Every structure is written in C-alpha cells, then in structure tokens.
Amino acid sequence: MHYSLKTVFLFFLSCIVLIFNYGLITAASNVGLNYGLLGDNLPSPSNVINLYKSIGITKVRIFDPNTEVLNALRGHQDIQVTVGVRDEDLALLAASEEAVEGWFTTNIEPYLADVNISFITVGNEVIPGPIGPQVLPVMTSLTNLVKSRNLPISISTVVSMANLGQSYPPSAGTFTSQAREQLTPVLKFLSEKSVPILVNMYPYFPYATDPVNIHLDYAISKNEAVVVQDGPLGYSNMFDAMFDTFVWAMEKEGVKDLPIVVSETGWPSAGNGDATTPDIAATYNGNFVKHVVSGKGTPKRPNSGVEGFLFATFNENQKPPGTEQNFGLYNPVDMQPIYKLF
C-alpha cells in the first residue's frame, strides 16, 4: 500500500501530539490540586470541576465540607476528594462522639453515594498549638465511625514544618517539645492504622527568609549536583531535604515507615520581586510534578515515591496581600493559566 510523504508526516505528527498530551494527563493524574475558596472572583465549582477534568486532575483537596463544591463533584467518582474539618469545629467535636457523628451525618454522609471522598483531615496546621490536643480525639472518633460503616475513608491531619525544632542537616531533624507532646501520639496512631500523615512543605519560605545562603536553583529543584552532603545521603534540592528531615524526626520518636503525603507545596508567581516570577513558579511546580510522576523517592526513602498536592488552583484575593495571593496556577477571572504546567 502506498502512502504519500505528507500522509506519513501527518501520522507521525499526530502520534507525537498524542504522546505529549498523554504525558500531560498522566502528570496531572498523579498530582493533586488544593482548591481554596478565599476569593470573591472565583469561578463556579462546576466550572472548576470541568477544568480539573480537562487537565486530568484526579485528586482534589478542599479545606472544609463546602456544599457547593461537594455537589459539583457528584458523579465525578474518578476524582478522589480530601475533605478538611474546620479548625473552629474541633473543640465541639473533641467533646463527644455524638458530635462527631452529627458532623459526619451532615457534612459527609449526603455525598457518599456519588462523591469519592478518600480522606478526611482533622485540622489544618493546628499542631503544635493551643487546639492541637483536640486533633487526636476527633481523629479517633472519625476512624471508629468509618470503620463501623466499612467506608474506605482514611482519617488523618495536616501539619506544617513548624513542628521541627532542628532541621539541618536532615539527619539532625527533631521535633519541638510541644510537637513531641501533641504530634507524636498522632503519628503513632496513624502508624497503627497504616494511614499517612499529611505535611505542608514549602521550600519557598526558607529561601525567601535567607536568599543569600540558600541558592535559588537548590530551592526550586533545578540543581542536579549535590549541595548538602549528610553522611551517605546527598541532596541536590531543598524539597527532598525537607521531606527527609521530617522522616528523621519521626524516626527519633519511634515512628518508622509511616507514609507522608505532601498536602501542600508550591511557589508564588508574584509578590516578592525577582524571587517570585511566573517562570520561577513554573520551574518549581513543574519539577515537583516530575518528581511525583517519576515514582522516585528521596535519598532516605529512595524506594517510596512522593505523593502530593500543589497549592493552589487559583490566586485568592481574600488572602493576605503579597505572595499569599499569588500561589495559584490559574487566574480566577478567566480561568487561564498564569503559566503553563498541565
């Protein structure tokens, strides 16, 4: 059978396009997105879900059981949803199992039939802190509840790197005394249940604090050479160093092999001069996506791939002015990307 050169060229071109698009969809399906709502110019939840579908996002984290968002997710069971318990609800829920059952009945149960709720997170960065002790009682009650109903929902909490008292080098990582008091029992509980801890990790913040001593390429994972040598482990980027520091700190509390999900990471595209441009944000976030898609781990956990969520879907204009308003991947007004990622 005879094919013209033009036909053959068009065939190969279409294959390249298919492979490229498949690569983008595969990348997106492996990385989750945080869906924040602190803006007065955000698109409708149904349009946001359509955006997720168009770029292949299959993991979404919302910070509270927002009814509009959960209703928009009905029928999209290919999207795994992580739902947060509001910090301000913890005191009431920690007081009684009946309160937890009431919260679940109101906020989760109506969506179980057609929304794929995979995680419930109890509090967002409240450990260590004054309401930190309320986390474990609520986690325990929710864990018992979902188990009694045979529901495939994992119960965890979201913490920040503020739990670390020492963080350099990674092998010296230790928790603060307050974190040991509040976080360690949570980690041991999660370890018994084989449920990951969710940790927010932002190389941007230490870089912004000390841009003289922390090189930008190291912070945005653009560097390939080892920058930090920690015994036999070499680190070419700050993300891996932060991740492993948390792992070392957990091990010092007797918690080994507990999975970590990166609940938030990202880089602002504006708000702090030359350190926050769309190109730099695209580089950091793009390298995080590559890290996740590669399936490769960190120097301390080389055989365990990284799982996580980028922060955030949109720039949110009701957050504090400056960089906090500029972590989004998309402009909320026209839903156009601030830089190309997916």
Side-chain angles (χ1 to χ4, degrees):
M1 189 177 291
H2 176 73
Y3 295 100
S4 69
L5 286 174
K6 180 179 179 182
T7 302
V8 172
F9 173 74
L10 290 174
F11 171 76
F12 279 109
L13 183 63
S14 65
C15 288
I16 291 170
V17 170
L18 276 171
I19 292 169
F20 180 71
N21 285 337
Y22 176 77
L24 289 178
I25 291 171
T26 301
S29 65
N30 280 279
V31 176
L33 286 186
N34 282 275
Y35 181 3
L37 295 169
L38 294 178
D40 60 12
N41 58 355
L42 298 173
S44 69
S46 59
N47 284 340
V48 177
I49 304 311
N50 288 335
L51 170 65
Y52 291 151
K53 302 283 279 192
S54 73
I55 59 176
I57 291 294
T58 59
K59 298 174 186 174
V60 174
R61 176 181 171 228
I62 57 177
F63 293 80
D64 59 72
N66 182 280
T67 54
E68 287 187 35
V69 173
L70 288 169
N71 279 323
L73 283 160
R74 289 187 186 276
H76 299 291
Q77 292 181 309
D78 54 329
I79 298 178
Q80 298 177 35
V81 184
T82 296
V83 180
V85 177
R86 298 181 187 93
D87 298 347
E88 54 267 34
D89 291 341
L90 292 182
L92 176 65
L93 299 181
S96 73
E97 290 189 356
E98 290 75 15
V100 170
E101 290 175 6
W103 180 90
F104 191 90
T105 299
T106 301
N107 295 291
I108 301 297
E109 196 167 309
Y111 308 99
L112 290 177
D114 50 5
V115 178
N116 183 5
I117 297 173
S118 58
F119 267 89
I120 297 173
T121 56
V122 178
N124 184 38
E125 296 189 344
V126 299
I127 295 175
I131 63 173
Q134 298 168 357
V135 170
L136 186 54
V138 180
M139 284 178 56
T140 302
S141 294
L142 279 171
T143 299
N144 292 338
L145 191 155
V146 297
K147 182 180 179 181
S148 70
R149 302 189 187 189
N150 294 314
L151 296 172
I153 301 174
S154 296
I155 310 298
S156 190
T157 188
V158 176
V159 298
S160 76
M161 300 297 283
N163 283 278
L164 292 167
Q166 187 169 342
S167 59
Y168 184 87
S171 63
T174 54
F175 292 132
T176 66
S177 58
Q178 189 177 35
R180 284 198 297 273
E181 180 183 331
Q182 297 181 8
L183 180 58
T184 299
V186 169
L187 296 173
K188 291 183 176 179
F189 176 83
L190 291 172
S191 183
E192 291 171 2
K193 307 297 181 185
S194 299
V195 174
I197 180 70
L198 281 76
V199 186
N200 295 342
M201 298 184 191
Y202 287 95
Y204 167 73
F205 291 113
Y207 169 75
T209 301
D210 190 10
V212 173
N213 293 309
I214 299 174
H215 291 184
L216 180 63
D217 285 355
Y218 177 66
I220 63 175
S221 303
K222 191 177 179 181
N223 193 72
E224 293 186 2
V226 170
V227 175
V228 173
Q229 189 67 46
D230 185 9
L233 305 179
Y235 293 89
S236 62
N237 67 81
M238 182 175 281
F239 172 83
D240 281 353
M242 293 176 76
F243 191 103
D244 282 357
T245 301
F246 204 94
V247 173
W248 278 106
M250 290 197 300
E251 289 192 358
K252 290 185 177 72
E253 300 303 314
V255 179
K256 297 185 177 182
D257 302 321
L258 178 64
I260 294 173
V261 171
V262 180
S263 37
E264 294 177 26
T265 194
W267 198 283
S269 61
N272 186 21
D274 292 342
T276 53
T277 67
D279 283 346
I280 293 174
T283 300
Y284 175 78
N285 286 333
N287 285 333
F288 177 74
V289 170
K290 290 176 185 175
H291 198 332
V292 172
V293 173
S294 74
K296 296 178 181 177
T298 62
K300 183 159 175 58
R301 287 185 172 179
N303 299 318
S304 300
V306 173
E307 181 181 347
F309 297 77
L310 284 172
F311 187 89
T313 305
F314 299 105
N315 282 343
E316 298 171 63
N317 65 3
Q318 292 178 328
K319 299 197 82 171
T323 56
E324 289 291 323
Q325 293 187 359
N326 290 285
F327 274 89
L329 305 181
Y330 293 88
N331 185 317
V333 177
D334 57 11
M335 296 182 67
Q336 291 301 304
I338 294 166
Y339 45 85
K340 187 66 176 176
L341 190 63
F342 298 123

